[in-house]
Amino acid sequence: MGNKKKRTIFRISLLLIMLLAISYTLYQNFFTEKMRVQAGEKAPDFLLEDMQGNKVQLSDLNGKGVFLNFWGTWCKPCEKEMPYMERQYKHYKDLGVETLAINIGESEVAIEAFANKYGLTFPILKDKDSAVTETYDITPIPTTFLIDKNGTIVKVITGSMTERDIANYMELIKP
């Protein structure tokens, strides 16, 4: 077989692979329904490990309001709001509001360095395989879910928050 024929077969094969990839992407975007967890729904339960190795299950917090934040160490808005979350956590933790910060798939070293830098004391959970992130359909971060004492999502916030916002949200889910 000549070089010209081999090149033609190779190019056609590449073109077919690209067409299949594009078709699959279009199918996924337009014909499969991805259900984002929304306000008014029961928060999907999960079991994750915190930085000290303790298991934390969302359903164990029934009776408390839960400020559930998805974040990453590389995320500038996350970095900005973490000190606000820490101050409000200290104020609201004895008032029945738990703060849980779920880190999305980063190393323990990176998470620990970040937590130490900002003096974070609220529970930081590790979503190593991003299973919880996928369940909650997190696309932009930070994303925060306000969960009431009955485990129902009251509000979903995407993007950064001011300290006043965080205080108001914690007040909203305080039992």
Side-chain angles (χ1 to χ4, degrees), residues 92-103:
Y92 281 94
K93 69 179 179 179
D94 294 329
L95 299 174
V97 177
E98 185 63 68
T99 299
L100 298 177
I102 297 181
N103 179 271

Side-chain angles (χ1 to χ4, degrees), residues 11 43 63 106 174:
R11 287 177 180 164
E106 293 184 89
K174 184 174 75 174

Side-chain angles (χ1 to χ4, degrees), residues 58-73:
L58 181 63
S59 58
D60 288 346
L61 300 174
N62 280 346
K64 292 184 173 190
V66 179
F67 187 89
L68 181 65
N69 179 266
F70 288 83
W71 68 286
T73 61

Side-chain angles (χ1 to χ4, degrees), residues 35 52-53 102 107 110 113 116-117 129:
M35 296 300 294
Q52 290 71 42
I102 297 181
S107 73
N116 289 339
K117 178 178 178 182
D129 61 0

